[in-house]
Amino acid sequence: MNILVTGGTGFIGRWVVGRLLKDGQKVWVIDNLANSSLDNLKEYSGNEHLQMVKIMDLKDRESLIELFRDTTFDLCYHLAASINVQDSIDDPETTFNNDTIATFYLLEECRKQHVKIVFISTCMVYARASDERGIHEQSPIKPASPYAGAKIAAENMVLSYFFAYGLPVVVVRPFNTYGPYQKTGGEGGVVAIFIHSKLKGEPLNIYGDGTQSRDLLFVEDCADFVVEAGYSDQLNGEIVNAGTGKDISINLLAELISAGQAPIHHIPHIHPQSEIQKLLCNYQKAEKILSWTPKVTIEEGIQRTENWIQSTFHRKDVSKS
């Protein structure tokens, strides 16, 4: 198949690209590099199936129209987005434009060619988990930040194209994803940030009291889920979750990562109004329809992530000396 991946140089995007190339698919990548780097795809630079990597903003409609005019796609994985909750609170317009308006522009081009689109949303659209059965696809949503609001708006537009035009679409909601190639600064995830702090000999800073919990999904498991959701026709017009079915408090996560090697501090929360106290995924739908289950445990995932961050920093340190 000819497959377009937007945001394909980003954290999850580069793993999706890798899985598609491994499957022998022909892959085109577009990204505006606002939150990523071409270096993330360096591993695949010589791959015969990687057709194009283009620096492009989805909001540039002329370039988008030209891309679809030049190539006939079978499938589109749409990962490009503004993903930082605090940035969305500080500057909601940018997040809305990138996450909702750009998705509309892409939908219009996919509609013209009847290209199936897999829209990568987020667990942050949900209200907190109310019990140990976890959050399922019919659980209440709560746009507690402009990021969540923009994603919900985009989800609804994507689903409307299925009902109005018969366009094959899938909305996927991965839970908190972590692993190699995730940013280790403020735009990264909690696992990468904690590991980075430990390796630098700095305290692990927890927002609030640390009792909030997360269902942490390793990035390769997430990429497999995203790709399989695109391959299956059974999920057309559907929303589907991916997670591990287990949550861990931020306090326990910090202890697991620090392993007694770094102090743990609690600091005032930067956006308490947008905090979701308990995120726990019910992924029975993905398991039933896609036969997908997560394979990597939190302990193994943390170790693999730490190994990658360690080797990346060592490489940079050697090059500077």
Side-chain angles (χ1 to χ4, degrees):
M1 287 192 288
N2 288 354
I3 298 179
L4 175 65
V5 181
T6 75
T9 71
F11 163 49
I12 298 175
R14 64 88 55 198
W15 288 100
V16 169
V17 169
R19 165 65 197 272
L20 292 170
L21 293 173
K22 183 181 176 183
D23 290 349
Q25 310 290 4
K26 292 182 178 178
V27 180
W28 283 254
V29 174
I30 58 174
D31 205 307
N32 67 1
L33 303 184
N35 191 35
S36 60
S37 167
L38 291 174
D39 287 344
N40 289 347
L41 291 181
K42 194 178 289 184
E43 178 184 343
Y44 311 123
S45 60
N47 191 294
E48 61 178 334
H49 300 297
L50 185 58
Q51 304 296 303
M52 182 189 79
V53 179
K54 184 174 184 178
I55 301 172
M56 190 182 111
D57 196 307
L58 285 173
K59 298 191 300 297
D60 179 355
R61 291 200 80 173
E62 290 304 313
S63 293
L64 191 60
I65 290 167
E66 183 180 334
L67 175 68
F68 275 77
R69 190 169 57 229
D70 292 345
T71 308
T72 300
F73 296 108
D74 301 296
L75 180 57
C76 173
Y77 291 94
H78 178 33
L79 294 99
S82 292
I83 61 171
N84 188 286
V85 172
Q86 186 60 48
D87 286 352
S88 80
I89 293 169
D90 295 339
D91 179 14
E93 184 174 1
T94 294
T95 296
F96 178 75
N97 288 339
N98 287 336
D99 293 10
T100 310
I101 300 296
T103 299
F104 167 70
Y105 292 160
L106 182 63
L107 277 167
E108 279 293 277
E109 297 314 307
C110 287
R111 177 167 73 95
K112 292 173 188 174
Q113 288 191 17
H114 203 70
V115 179
K116 179 174 181 175
I117 183 167
V118 179
F119 177 69
I120 285 65
S121 187
T122 171
C123 63
M124 298 300 287
V125 301
Y126 286 115
R128 65 174 292 170
S130 57
D131 58 44
E132 291 308 314
R133 289 175 295 178
I135 294 169
H136 54 79
E137 290 80 3
Q138 283 77 45
S139 293
I141 57 173
K142 179 183 177 181
S145 66
Y147 166 58
K151 280 293 190 182
I152 292 169
E155 284 186 4
N156 285 331
M157 284 304 298
V158 168
L159 291 170
S160 79
Y161 274 56
F162 173 77
F163 295 113
Y165 307 112
L167 186 72
V169 307
V170 186
V171 171
V172 298
R173 292 173 176 166
F175 277 61
N176 297 85
T177 305
Y178 72 100
Y181 291 91
Q182 188 168 38
K183 286 195 168 186
T184 55
E187 293 178 334
V190 63
V191 173
I193 292 170
F194 280 177
I195 292 172
H196 182 55
S197 296
K198 182 182 84 168
L199 292 175
K200 289 200 301 180
E202 296 177 352
L204 279 58
N205 290 323
I206 296 174
Y207 291 137
D209 64 11
T211 58
Q212 64 270 38
S213 70
R214 295 293 178 262
D215 186 324
L216 295 164
L217 179 64
F218 191 66
V219 67
E220 287 188 72
D221 284 333
C222 179
D224 286 341
F225 159 75
V226 167
V227 170
E228 292 295 339
Y231 288 170
S232 172
D233 290 333
Q234 291 181 272
L235 285 170
N236 289 351
E238 300 277 343
I239 296 170
V240 60
N241 288 342
T244 67
K246 299 174 183 175
D247 62 336
I248 183 172
S249 74
I250 301 303
N251 284 331
L252 284 175
L253 179 67
E255 290 175 17
L256 188 61
I257 290 173
S258 71
Q261 298 172 36
I264 297 170
H265 293 169
H266 290 82
I267 61 175
H269 206 304
I270 54 172
H271 48 251
Q273 74 279 21
S274 297
E275 179 65 89
I276 303 174
Q277 189 63 22
K278 182 180 179 67
L279 281 170
L280 172 63
C281 178
N282 182 319
Y283 65 87
Q284 288 180 354
K285 186 173 181 178
E287 184 175 28
K288 180 180 178 182
I289 297 176
L290 299 177
S291 298
W292 175 88
T293 56
K295 297 179 177 66
V296 181
T297 65
I298 183 69
E299 292 81 9
E300 181 188 347
I302 287 172
Q303 190 58 59
R304 286 166 65 174
T305 306
E306 182 166 333
N307 291 345
W308 179 81
I309 293 174
Q310 182 91 55
S311 66
T312 302
F313 288 139
H314 274 319
R315 198 160 59 242
K316 288 178 180 176
D317 291 342
V318 169
S319 64
K320 288 176 184 176
S321 58

